[in-house]
Amino acid sequence: MKAITLQAPGGLENLQLTDLTDPGQPGTGEIRVAIHATSLNFHDLLVANGSIPTADQRIMMADGAGVVEAVGDGVTDFKPGDHVVSTFFPQWADGLAFDSVGDFRQTPGDGANGFAAEFVVRPSTHFTLAPEGWSHAEAATITTSGLTAWRALVVDAGLKAGDTVLTLGTGGVSITALQIAKSMEAKVIITSSSDEKLARASELGADHVINYRTNPDWGKAVRELTNGKGADVVIELGGPGTMAQSIEAVRVGGHIALIGVLTGREGVIPTSVLMAKQARIQGLIVGNRRQQHDFVKAMNQTGIRPVISDSFIGLNSLSEAFSHQSDGAHFGKITVAW
């Protein structure tokens, strides 16, 4: 069986196409899945380049989509031939986050072996069904970025029609958030340093776009676009370098979903402004299996399909895909299929 493993201490040059023993047939409660695609996330890149240490010869990638080949005794929710997609926190079935969801020790491609492999045998609870009619590459976008956007908007913020959403950047989370919000008849403001990407976001339905490089006071711009009110929900992906502007942009009593730390892990937060806004900052990392079920159900209902800007073919193209991701030129998701 072929797989992409990472040789410690990391670095894209240390990603290797490796021959491993086939995982065999599933035991009780398990399923055997032929994996056909993965999608790239910032977290995967941090593992690959060595910024997040992991075990030597770790099989890469948190996201995996494929076809069930066999089911073990006691498995009733899947059958051979089903198209499935992996979960980011396989131990988190439902409910609120708990201690072991506070780290990545059981997350595939980080603390546990991931899905950059031809076959896996895992407990059936590590998967959900994929949306109907989606390609494996499309389904692979659900595990991390897709579910993150869904939880931020629908589960945590309680988005409703007529709300205004501000989302930062044009990566996978932001573009999925744009699609979800528009499907729920919300208004969307999106930021980027690229006018070309902003034009593409407008084509997808963004109501307003802001180039944060030419308009660094974009928090004020958001308030102006909302007649002084501010955004009901902010999808905050930058971290400390953008948080002050996000707090400026959010309405009184609004919701800031803290998802990314692209500008660093520590910084100064204008706490007095946050208090005056009486806004909520909710940190989140992906979501649980029940939320993924709900997201898949919504995708089946709405007909939304993920935006994939770059598709690579073959397991051995993963390093090239990561290099492309590092350049930051993509719009939406990058996938690798095999």
Side-chain angles (χ1 to χ4, degrees):
M1 178 189 76
K2 302 291 185 182
I4 296 292
T5 60
L6 180 66
Q7 180 180 346
L12 301 188
E13 70 280 2
N14 288 322
L15 291 171
Q16 303 172 331
L17 184 64
T18 308
D19 285 309
L20 299 175
T21 302
D22 187 279
Q25 293 303 303
T28 301
E30 295 180 330
I31 59 176
R32 176 184 169 94
V33 180
I35 301 295
H36 290 296
T38 189
S39 76
L40 279 64
N41 301 284
F42 186 60
H43 177 255
D44 299 301
L45 178 61
L46 293 180
V47 175
N49 67 23
S51 298
I52 296 177
T54 188
D56 188 41
Q57 301 303 312
R58 172 70 71 218
I59 300 176
M60 289 294 299
M61 307 310 291
D63 300 1
V67 180
V68 176
E69 290 196 330
V71 302
D73 291 341
V75 174
T76 59
D77 45 352
F78 299 111
K79 64 183 184 303
D82 281 344
H83 287 209
V84 294
V85 58
S86 64
T87 56
F88 189 87
F89 289 117
Q91 74 275 32
W92 190 11
D94 201 353
L96 299 175
F98 46 89
D99 285 349
S100 69
V101 180
D103 55 49
F104 301 104
R105 285 178 292 178
Q106 298 183 55
T107 295
D110 187 336
N113 280 329
F115 294 98
E118 293 180 306
F119 306 98
V120 299
V121 172
R122 304 280 168 86
S124 64
T125 53
H126 290 203
F127 294 88
T128 68
L129 289 171
E132 298 168 5
W134 283 27
S135 69
H136 297 305
E138 289 175 322
T141 68
I142 286 176
T143 300
T144 303
S145 65
L147 182 56
T148 296
W150 173 261
R151 178 185 166 192
L153 290 176
V154 178
V155 180
D156 290 348
L159 185 71
K160 59 186 182 298
D163 282 350
T164 296
V165 175
L166 167 66
T167 187
L168 310 188
T170 54
V173 174
S174 284
I175 296 305
T176 305
L178 165 62
Q179 293 176 291
I180 293 171
K182 294 309 298 181
S183 76
M184 298 179 68
E185 300 185 355
K187 297 179 180 178
V188 178
I189 304 170
I190 195 163
T191 69
S192 173
S193 62
S194 166
D195 288 335
E196 179 183 355
K197 291 181 179 180
L198 290 174
R200 294 180 67 183
S202 295
E203 292 172 358
L204 287 172
D207 297 273
H208 303 285
V209 296
I210 301 172
N211 187 314
Y212 65 78
R213 196 172 302 281
T214 58
N215 191 350
D217 194 8
W218 47 267
K220 179 181 178 181
V222 170
R223 288 194 292 105
E224 291 173 348
L225 289 169
T226 55
N227 298 317
K229 176 186 175 183
D232 298 283
V233 184
V234 178
I235 304 298
E236 167 55 70
L237 291 141
T242 53
M243 182 59 78
Q245 287 295 316
S246 288
I247 293 173
E248 176 72 14
V250 75
R251 71 164 172 83
V252 173
H255 182 100
I256 300 174
L258 178 57
I259 295 168
V261 288
L262 297 178
T263 63
R265 297 179 180 273
E266 296 181 359
V268 177
I269 302 297
T271 52
S272 62
V273 180
L274 179 64
M275 290 169 60
K277 285 292 186 77
Q278 302 185 59
R280 303 182 304 279
I281 298 179
Q282 171 70 57
L284 71 150
I285 301 176
V286 196
N288 62 44
R289 188 172 185 251
R290 170 51 57 190
Q291 292 162 0
Q292 185 162 310
H293 273 296
D294 293 342
F295 179 45
V296 170
K297 182 178 179 181
M299 295 302 95
N300 286 334
Q301 181 68 31
T302 63
I304 290 173
R305 303 292 278 261
V307 175
I308 298 173
S309 66
D310 300 280
S311 300
F312 293 80
I313 303 300
L315 268 170
N316 58 358
S317 68
L318 185 58
S319 180
E320 180 186 359
F322 274 127
S323 295
H324 181 69
Q325 181 187 21
S326 300
D327 293 340
H330 61 285
F331 180 94
K333 294 298 293 182
I334 300 170
T335 62
V336 177
W338 57 91

